[in-house]
Amino acid sequence: MLARRRMGVAERERQILDGAIAFFAERGLDGQLRDLAKSIGVTHALLYHYFPTKQALVDRVYLELFEGRWRAEWDDLLDDPETSVEDKFTAFYLDYVNNALSRDFVRILVFSGLTDHTITDRFFAMLRTRLFPRLIRETRRFRGLTSRAKPSPRELELLMGLHGGFFYITMRRWIYGQVVHSEAMPGTYDEASARDRVRSYLAASRELFAAPEPAPAAPASRRARR
């Protein structure tokens, strides 16, 4: 009988982290660590050796699954002055939906929103810092504006409609169990559908927040007769 190979520290930590992500995605963040340890096949004591508190484990899951999914290429894409706003938004959201918003990502985010908001608060704070200002800036660029003023509540609500609509695609897939795919690439959201959403958002933005027409110049006053 072959002896069981002993895992190294990094390998064991990876095993626990992967197991925790799968466990929380299925059971929610209220799941007990004793049940998690059993599902992974390790002792409760060993689990606490690597992650002394449940919060420490949740923090690591957040860094791995949420912040770790953010790509520096997205920043570069949205900051590229040579690419049209429509193309930027379409490329970003197509990649975001198909590659970042995995089953584990979506389900854990929803579970967090239904419980203590530990993960949702941190994730949306990152979006408010790293993503939403770029999207507002580019939306204004589409309308021919260069203003860096704080976005109005209406601007933000319109943007949340775009962003939330893309997230709802993955809600349909991973929460409601509905099929969302393209005929060309089953299991993925197709470019044409992503572009349709982006175009609708940009058109609505231009209609709702069009720059006011410049006021007609006042007629020059007649020079007083000498």
Side-chain angles (χ1 to χ4, degrees):
M1 182 176 178
L2 295 176
R4 182 180 297 178
R5 184 177 65 86
R6 186 172 182 178
M7 290 186 181
V9 172
E11 189 178 4
R12 178 67 76 183
E13 185 178 273
R14 182 78 254 171
Q15 178 202 20
I16 293 173
L17 183 58
D18 289 344
I21 290 172
F23 179 82
F24 289 141
E26 196 62 38
R27 303 277 193 94
L29 296 174
D30 285 341
Q32 299 298 309
L33 292 193
R34 192 174 298 278
D35 294 332
L36 167 61
K38 184 177 180 180
S39 72
I40 298 174
V42 301
T43 66
H44 199 202
L46 182 63
L47 181 63
Y48 274 106
H49 174 75
Y50 283 87
F51 298 97
T53 66
K54 183 176 181 179
Q55 188 58 53
L57 180 57
V58 170
D59 288 344
R60 183 63 186 279
V61 167
Y62 170 77
L63 293 174
E64 176 78 15
L65 193 59
F66 294 87
E67 285 197 13
R69 288 291 180 94
W70 191 268
R71 300 182 178 184
E73 292 86 350
W74 293 338
D75 298 338
D76 296 336
L77 169 67
L78 294 173
D79 291 342
D80 181 4
E82 302 301 322
T83 305
S84 74
V85 176
E86 180 185 313
D87 286 346
K88 285 181 181 184
F89 282 25
T90 300
F92 166 73
Y93 275 113
L94 194 63
D95 195 25
Y96 185 67
V97 168
N98 288 329
N99 296 307
L101 301 186
S102 66
R103 177 183 183 275
D104 294 338
F105 182 115
V106 172
R107 290 179 63 85
I108 291 177
L109 190 67
V110 170
F111 276 127
S112 176
L114 292 171
T115 53
D116 63 1
H117 295 193
T118 298
I119 285 178
T120 53
D121 286 351
R122 293 178 67 181
F123 181 63
F124 279 100
M126 183 183 75
L127 293 182
R128 284 192 294 268
T129 300
R130 195 162 186 176
L131 177 62
F132 296 157
R134 283 186 163 93
L135 298 182
I136 290 290
R137 180 198 67 204
E138 293 302 303
T139 302
R140 289 174 173 175
R141 175 190 166 208
F142 175 80
R143 302 200 309 266
L145 301 178
T146 58
S147 170
R148 294 297 183 94
K150 182 179 179 180
S152 69
R154 288 183 68 205
E155 282 183 290
L156 286 174
E157 279 303 304
L158 188 65
L159 178 61
M160 290 304 100
L162 173 70
H163 189 79
F166 279 108
F167 185 72
Y168 183 65
I169 294 165
T170 59
M171 288 274 289
R172 287 158 56 198
R173 180 182 293 161
W174 303 123
I175 303 298
Y176 304 137
Q178 297 179 2
V179 176
V180 182
H181 66 276
S182 68
E183 292 183 3
M185 298 181 292
T188 65
Y189 197 63
D190 63 276
E191 181 179 352
S193 297
R195 191 173 293 276
D196 286 346
R197 287 177 178 267
V198 169
R199 282 178 173 171
S200 297
Y201 162 76
L202 292 175
S205 176
R206 183 163 51 195
E207 181 175 343
L208 293 174
F209 306 113
E213 293 292 334
S221 58
R222 292 182 178 179
R223 180 176 296 179
R225 292 183 178 178
R226 294 183 179 178

